[in-house]
Amino acid sequence: MDATDVAAPAHAADATDAADAADAKTRITILVALAANIVIAVAKAIGGLLSGSPALLSEAAHSVADSTNEVFLLTALRRSRRPADRRHPFGYGKERYFWSLLAAVGIFVMGGCFSFYQGYHALATDNGEKPSGYAVGLVVLAVALVAEGSSLLRALHQLRKQKDSAKDPAVRTVVAEDSTAVLGVLLAMTGMVLHLITGEVAWEAGASFGIGLLLVFVAYRLGAEARVQLVGESVDPELRDRISALLDAQPEIDNVAQLLTMRLGMDSALIAARIDLVPGLDSEDIELICVRIKRSVVETWPEADHVFLDITEAPPEGGT
């Protein structure tokens, strides 16, 4: 039986450099979103307090939640790249998914729940007074729309330019946050305008409830994605099939009895295969054969950096 791990070949350093470069671009995307959200959160909070607009205050909470989440994502980028050690022999790649889960919780608690509260509070305290100061609030939202839209375009640009960015929970979270922010601003503006026109605060309360529902939905989706990765998800079916085909094509392998895979991070995966070798192999050659096969897998797919082979049947030459 052989179950030794194979170290990544020298050319894997190129993959590491590429991953570091991708992280640098992701970090810029997050910093752009963070800067925009901090400025917007302050402006929305001031505008909301001056106008008393529940929809604008809901959007302020939304931006505060997004700002906090971007700090989580920056932490995820830094911690997920730590090298493996004795306590974590497979590295810290899953840190990205943990911090993405915290970001989802932040969106739900700070954004969604506060928006529901603002909607309820607006209906409960309505005294029929005509809203005032909404011109400033609408200007703030218009500026926020431009800023959030610019941040969203930056994130979408990275998705188009970098194929692997679609798998990065940090980039996906920024795209989800910015998309939700744009929709939230539009809902808030609609509620404020209808409140001004009709004098009915229910329109604005409805906008707050709508923002809350939107945030809860996004939080659920992001949390569900993070949960799948933290529990342990296999590699893409296409990649699994290609690895299986490569193993089947080896002349020394008679049968691939079982192939297990699991993603350990953005660019790290564990591959464990239970294989039957062809009869008649010399026992001294089996280890060399396994090393060659595993090295072939790693060289073909650098992300498959932990490869284990379990020999279930390999009788020596002359054996039965």
Side-chain angles (χ1 to χ4, degrees), residues 6-16 294-307:
V6 171
H11 81 273
D14 295 335
T16 301
K294 290 188 284 187
R295 190 172 299 280
S296 178
V297 172
V298 175
E299 289 178 347
T300 306
W301 300 284
E303 66 269 32
D305 51 354
H306 298 282
V307 182

PDB file of all heavy atoms in Angstrom, residues 6-16 294-307:
ATOM      1  N   VAL A   6       2.762  13.839  -2.477  1.00  0.00           N
ATOM      2  CA  VAL A   6       3.771  14.255  -3.434  1.00  0.00           C
ATOM      3  C   VAL A   6       3.930  15.759  -3.359  1.00  0.00           C
ATOM      4  O   VAL A   6       2.953  16.501  -3.454  1.00  0.00           O
ATOM      5  CB  VAL A   6       3.356  13.849  -4.867  1.00  0.00           C
ATOM      6  CG1 VAL A   6       4.285  14.482  -5.882  1.00  0.00           C
ATOM      7  CG2 VAL A   6       3.415  12.345  -5.013  1.00  0.00           C
ATOM      8  N   ALA A   7       5.143  16.223  -3.196  1.00  0.00           N
ATOM      9  CA  ALA A   7       5.386  17.662  -3.177  1.00  0.00           C
ATOM     10  C   ALA A   7       5.171  18.226  -4.567  1.00  0.00           C
ATOM     11  O   ALA A   7       5.424  17.581  -5.580  1.00  0.00           O
ATOM     12  CB  ALA A   7       6.814  17.943  -2.708  1.00  0.00           C
ATOM     13  N   ALA A   8       4.714  19.458  -4.625  1.00  0.00           N
ATOM     14  CA  ALA A   8       4.463  20.101  -5.913  1.00  0.00           C
ATOM     15  C   ALA A   8       5.771  20.275  -6.663  1.00  0.00           C
ATOM     16  O   ALA A   8       6.806  20.564  -6.064  1.00  0.00           O
ATOM     17  CB  ALA A   8       3.798  21.452  -5.704  1.00  0.00           C
ATOM     18  N   PRO A   9       5.793  20.084  -7.981  1.00  0.00           N
ATOM     19  CA  PRO A   9       7.005  20.249  -8.756  1.00  0.00           C
ATOM     20  C   PRO A   9       7.430  21.703  -8.814  1.00  0.00           C
ATOM     21  O   PRO A   9       6.701  22.599  -8.409  1.00  0.00           O
ATOM     22  CB  PRO A   9       6.605  19.723 -10.139  1.00  0.00           C
ATOM     23  CG  PRO A   9       5.127  19.904 -10.198  1.00  0.00           C
ATOM     24  CD  PRO A   9       4.642  19.667  -8.801  1.00  0.00           C
ATOM     25  N   ALA A  10       8.643  21.916  -9.352  1.00  0.00           N
ATOM     26  CA  ALA A  10       9.202  23.267  -9.366  1.00  0.00           C
ATOM     27  C   ALA A  10       8.304  24.251 -10.103  1.00  0.00           C
ATOM     28  O   ALA A  10       8.178  25.410  -9.696  1.00  0.00           O
ATOM     29  CB  ALA A  10      10.589  23.235 -10.004  1.00  0.00           C
ATOM     30  N   HIS A  11       7.664  23.807 -11.196  1.00  0.00           N
ATOM     31  CA  HIS A  11       6.860  24.753 -11.971  1.00  0.00           C
ATOM     32  C   HIS A  11       5.605  25.191 -11.230  1.00  0.00           C
ATOM     33  O   HIS A  11       4.930  26.126 -11.642  1.00  0.00           O
ATOM     34  CB  HIS A  11       6.480  24.145 -13.325  1.00  0.00           C
ATOM     35  CG  HIS A  11       5.308  23.214 -13.270  1.00  0.00           C
ATOM     36  ND1 HIS A  11       5.447  21.877 -12.975  1.00  0.00           N
ATOM     37  CD2 HIS A  11       3.977  23.434 -13.451  1.00  0.00           C
ATOM     38  CE1 HIS A  11       4.247  21.303 -13.005  1.00  0.00           C
ATOM     39  NE2 HIS A  11       3.349  22.223 -13.278  1.00  0.00           N
ATOM     40  N   ALA A  12       5.294  24.527 -10.085  1.00  0.00           N
ATOM     41  CA  ALA A  12       4.138  24.952  -9.298  1.00  0.00           C
ATOM     42  C   ALA A  12       4.340  26.348  -8.736  1.00  0.00           C
ATOM     43  O   ALA A  12       3.378  27.032  -8.373  1.00  0.00           O
ATOM     44  CB  ALA A  12       3.879  23.969  -8.160  1.00  0.00           C
ATOM     45  N   ALA A  13       5.610  26.790  -8.642  1.00  0.00           N
ATOM     46  CA  ALA A  13       5.891  28.148  -8.186  1.00  0.00           C
ATOM     47  C   ALA A  13       5.243  29.173  -9.104  1.00  0.00           C
ATOM     48  O   ALA A  13       4.807  30.244  -8.665  1.00  0.00           O
ATOM     49  CB  ALA A  13       7.399  28.382  -8.115  1.00  0.00           C
ATOM     50  N   ASP A  14       5.169  28.845 -10.411  1.00  0.00           N
ATOM     51  CA  ASP A  14       4.504  29.750 -11.351  1.00  0.00           C
ATOM     52  C   ASP A  14       3.035  29.892 -11.015  1.00  0.00           C
ATOM     53  O   ASP A  14       2.467  30.987 -11.098  1.00  0.00           O
ATOM     54  CB  ASP A  14       4.665  29.237 -12.786  1.00  0.00           C
ATOM     55  CG  ASP A  14       6.122  29.242 -13.238  1.00  0.00           C
ATOM     56  OD1 ASP A  14       6.898  30.045 -12.676  1.00  0.00           O
ATOM     57  OD2 ASP A  14       6.460  28.449 -14.126  1.00  0.00           O
ATOM     58  N   ALA A  15       2.397  28.768 -10.639  1.00  0.00           N
ATOM     59  CA  ALA A  15       0.988  28.815 -10.260  1.00  0.00           C
ATOM     60  C   ALA A  15       0.797  29.648  -8.995  1.00  0.00           C
ATOM     61  O   ALA A  15      -0.179  30.390  -8.860  1.00  0.00           O
ATOM     62  CB  ALA A  15       0.459  27.398 -10.045  1.00  0.00           C
ATOM     63  N   THR A  16       1.763  29.525  -8.057  1.00  0.00           N
ATOM     64  CA  THR A  16       1.689  30.313  -6.826  1.00  0.00           C
ATOM     65  C   THR A  16       1.821  31.796  -7.129  1.00  0.00           C
ATOM     66  O   THR A  16       1.095  32.635  -6.562  1.00  0.00           O
ATOM     67  CB  THR A  16       2.799  29.876  -5.856  1.00  0.00           C
ATOM     68  OG1 THR A  16       2.646  28.491  -5.558  1.00  0.00           O
ATOM     69  CG2 THR A  16       2.741  30.686  -4.575  1.00  0.00           C
ATOM     70  N   LYS A 294       1.674   9.989  -9.580  1.00  0.00           N
ATOM     71  CA  LYS A 294       1.258  11.146  -8.794  1.00  0.00           C
ATOM     72  C   LYS A 294       1.897  12.431  -9.313  1.00  0.00           C
ATOM     73  O   LYS A 294       1.245  13.473  -9.381  1.00  0.00           O
ATOM     74  CB  LYS A 294       1.597  10.918  -7.321  1.00  0.00           C
ATOM     75  CG  LYS A 294       0.732   9.844  -6.674  1.00  0.00           C
ATOM     76  CD  LYS A 294       0.930   9.756  -5.171  1.00  0.00           C
ATOM     77  CE  LYS A 294       2.209   9.068  -4.816  1.00  0.00           C
ATOM     78  NZ  LYS A 294       2.335   8.836  -3.355  1.00  0.00           N
ATOM     79  N   ARG A 295       3.164  12.339  -9.703  1.00  0.00           N
ATOM     80  CA  ARG A 295       3.826  13.519 -10.243  1.00  0.00           C
ATOM     81  C   ARG A 295       3.173  13.956 -11.552  1.00  0.00           C
ATOM     82  O   ARG A 295       3.059  15.155 -11.831  1.00  0.00           O
ATOM     83  CB  ARG A 295       5.322  13.243 -10.462  1.00  0.00           C
ATOM     84  CG  ARG A 295       6.125  14.487 -10.783  1.00  0.00           C
ATOM     85  CD  ARG A 295       7.607  14.166 -10.795  1.00  0.00           C
ATOM     86  NE  ARG A 295       8.053  13.679  -9.511  1.00  0.00           N
ATOM     87  CZ  ARG A 295       8.328  14.456  -8.474  1.00  0.00           C
ATOM     88  NH1 ARG A 295       8.180  15.769  -8.580  1.00  0.00           N
ATOM     89  NH2 ARG A 295       8.749  13.938  -7.348  1.00  0.00           N
ATOM     90  N   SER A 296       2.715  12.998 -12.331  1.00  0.00           N
ATOM     91  CA  SER A 296       2.039  13.321 -13.585  1.00  0.00           C
ATOM     92  C   SER A 296       0.744  14.092 -13.321  1.00  0.00           C
ATOM     93  O   SER A 296       0.408  15.053 -14.026  1.00  0.00           O
ATOM     94  CB  SER A 296       1.753  12.040 -14.365  1.00  0.00           C
ATOM     95  OG  SER A 296       1.052  12.310 -15.557  1.00  0.00           O
ATOM     96  N   VAL A 297       0.011  13.673 -12.267  1.00  0.00           N
ATOM     97  CA  VAL A 297      -1.230  14.368 -11.920  1.00  0.00           C
ATOM     98  C   VAL A 297      -0.942  15.804 -11.497  1.00  0.00           C
ATOM     99  O   VAL A 297      -1.588  16.755 -11.951  1.00  0.00           O
ATOM    100  CB  VAL A 297      -1.973  13.613 -10.794  1.00  0.00           C
ATOM    101  CG1 VAL A 297      -3.167  14.429 -10.299  1.00  0.00           C
ATOM    102  CG2 VAL A 297      -2.433  12.248 -11.284  1.00  0.00           C
ATOM    103  N   VAL A 298       0.073  15.969 -10.625  1.00  0.00           N
ATOM    104  CA  VAL A 298       0.393  17.309 -10.115  1.00  0.00           C
ATOM    105  C   VAL A 298       0.905  18.217 -11.226  1.00  0.00           C
ATOM    106  O   VAL A 298       0.568  19.414 -11.274  1.00  0.00           O
ATOM    107  CB  VAL A 298       1.431  17.201  -8.976  1.00  0.00           C
ATOM    108  CG1 VAL A 298       1.858  18.591  -8.515  1.00  0.00           C
ATOM    109  CG2 VAL A 298       0.863  16.413  -7.802  1.00  0.00           C
ATOM    110  N   GLU A 299       1.709  17.687 -12.124  1.00  0.00           N
ATOM    111  CA  GLU A 299       2.230  18.509 -13.215  1.00  0.00           C
ATOM    112  C   GLU A 299       1.133  18.927 -14.185  1.00  0.00           C
ATOM    113  O   GLU A 299       1.184  20.002 -14.772  1.00  0.00           O
ATOM    114  CB  GLU A 299       3.330  17.748 -13.954  1.00  0.00           C
ATOM    115  CG  GLU A 299       4.615  17.609 -13.159  1.00  0.00           C
ATOM    116  CD  GLU A 299       5.671  16.811 -13.909  1.00  0.00           C
ATOM    117  OE1 GLU A 299       5.310  16.172 -14.916  1.00  0.00           O
ATOM    118  OE2 GLU A 299       6.838  16.819 -13.467  1.00  0.00           O
ATOM    119  N   THR A 300       0.139  18.055 -14.355  1.00  0.00           N
ATOM    120  CA  THR A 300      -0.969  18.389 -15.262  1.00  0.00           C
ATOM    121  C   THR A 300      -1.937  19.369 -14.624  1.00  0.00           C
ATOM    122  O   THR A 300      -2.431  20.295 -15.282  1.00  0.00           O
ATOM    123  CB  THR A 300      -1.727  17.105 -15.661  1.00  0.00           C
ATOM    124  OG1 THR A 300      -0.795  16.155 -16.191  1.00  0.00           O
ATOM    125  CG2 THR A 300      -2.783  17.413 -16.720  1.00  0.00           C
ATOM    126  N   TRP A 301      -2.212  19.196 -13.315  1.00  0.00           N
ATOM    127  CA  TRP A 301      -3.140  20.080 -12.588  1.00  0.00           C
ATOM    128  C   TRP A 301      -2.458  20.529 -11.300  1.00  0.00           C
ATOM    129  O   TRP A 301      -2.565  19.857 -10.258  1.00  0.00           O
ATOM    130  CB  TRP A 301      -4.442  19.344 -12.272  1.00  0.00           C
ATOM    131  CG  TRP A 301      -5.157  18.871 -13.494  1.00  0.00           C
ATOM    132  CD1 TRP A 301      -5.891  19.616 -14.366  1.00  0.00           C
ATOM    133  CD2 TRP A 301      -5.205  17.525 -13.998  1.00  0.00           C
ATOM    134  NE1 TRP A 301      -6.386  18.830 -15.385  1.00  0.00           N
ATOM    135  CE2 TRP A 301      -5.984  17.538 -15.180  1.00  0.00           C
ATOM    136  CE3 TRP A 301      -4.663  16.311 -13.565  1.00  0.00           C
ATOM    137  CZ2 TRP A 301      -6.232  16.394 -15.923  1.00  0.00           C
ATOM    138  CZ3 TRP A 301      -4.901  15.171 -14.310  1.00  0.00           C
ATOM    139  CH2 TRP A 301      -5.682  15.213 -15.472  1.00  0.00           C
ATOM    140  N   PRO A 302      -1.742  21.670 -11.322  1.00  0.00           N
ATOM    141  CA  PRO A 302      -1.003  22.124 -10.140  1.00  0.00           C
ATOM    142  C   PRO A 302      -1.878  22.308  -8.904  1.00  0.00           C
ATOM    143  O   PRO A 302      -1.388  22.189  -7.785  1.00  0.00           O
ATOM    144  CB  PRO A 302      -0.417  23.470 -10.597  1.00  0.00           C
ATOM    145  CG  PRO A 302      -0.312  23.345 -12.080  1.00  0.00           C
ATOM    146  CD  PRO A 302      -1.501  22.526 -12.496  1.00  0.00           C
ATOM    147  N   GLU A 303      -3.173  22.587  -9.099  1.00  0.00           N
ATOM    148  CA  GLU A 303      -4.037  22.758  -7.928  1.00  0.00           C
ATOM    149  C   GLU A 303      -4.253  21.442  -7.178  1.00  0.00           C
ATOM    150  O   GLU A 303      -4.613  21.441  -5.995  1.00  0.00           O
ATOM    151  CB  GLU A 303      -5.393  23.348  -8.326  1.00  0.00           C
ATOM    152  CG  GLU A 303      -6.269  22.464  -9.183  1.00  0.00           C
ATOM    153  CD  GLU A 303      -6.066  22.680 -10.668  1.00  0.00           C
ATOM    154  OE1 GLU A 303      -4.929  23.008 -11.062  1.00  0.00           O
ATOM    155  OE2 GLU A 303      -7.036  22.531 -11.425  1.00  0.00           O
ATOM    156  N   ALA A 304      -4.019  20.304  -7.862  1.00  0.00           N
ATOM    157  CA  ALA A 304      -4.131  18.990  -7.209  1.00  0.00           C
ATOM    158  C   ALA A 304      -2.814  18.700  -6.494  1.00  0.00           C
ATOM    159  O   ALA A 304      -2.043  17.812  -6.862  1.00  0.00           O
ATOM    160  CB  ALA A 304      -4.447  17.915  -8.238  1.00  0.00           C
ATOM    161  N   ASP A 305      -2.562  19.484  -5.437  1.00  0.00           N
ATOM    162  CA  ASP A 305      -1.247  19.443  -4.812  1.00  0.00           C
ATOM    163  C   ASP A 305      -1.119  18.419  -3.689  1.00  0.00           C
ATOM    164  O   ASP A 305      -0.059  18.293  -3.080  1.00  0.00           O
ATOM    165  CB  ASP A 305      -0.871  20.833  -4.280  1.00  0.00           C
ATOM    166  CG  ASP A 305      -1.955  21.444  -3.406  1.00  0.00           C
ATOM    167  OD1 ASP A 305      -3.038  20.846  -3.293  1.00  0.00           O
ATOM    168  OD2 ASP A 305      -1.725  22.531  -2.852  1.00  0.00           O
ATOM    169  N   HIS A 306      -2.181  17.675  -3.397  1.00  0.00           N
ATOM    170  CA  HIS A 306      -2.115  16.606  -2.406  1.00  0.00           C
ATOM    171  C   HIS A 306      -2.706  15.348  -3.053  1.00  0.00           C
ATOM    172  O   HIS A 306      -3.932  15.219  -3.163  1.00  0.00           O
ATOM    173  CB  HIS A 306      -2.895  16.963  -1.143  1.00  0.00           C
ATOM    174  CG  HIS A 306      -2.366  18.176  -0.436  1.00  0.00           C
ATOM    175  ND1 HIS A 306      -1.244  18.143   0.361  1.00  0.00           N
ATOM    176  CD2 HIS A 306      -2.797  19.457  -0.422  1.00  0.00           C
ATOM    177  CE1 HIS A 306      -1.010  19.345   0.850  1.00  0.00           C
ATOM    178  NE2 HIS A 306      -1.932  20.165   0.386  1.00  0.00           N
ATOM    179  N   VAL A 307      -1.843  14.460  -3.505  1.00  0.00           N
ATOM    180  CA  VAL A 307      -2.274  13.270  -4.238  1.00  0.00           C
ATOM    181  C   VAL A 307      -1.870  12.026  -3.452  1.00  0.00           C
ATOM    182  O   VAL A 307      -0.705  11.866  -3.069  1.00  0.00           O
ATOM    183  CB  VAL A 307      -1.654  13.220  -5.649  1.00  0.00           C
ATOM    184  CG1 VAL A 307      -2.154  11.992  -6.402  1.00  0.00           C
ATOM    185  CG2 VAL A 307      -1.987  14.488  -6.422  1.00  0.00           C
TER     186      VAL A 307
END
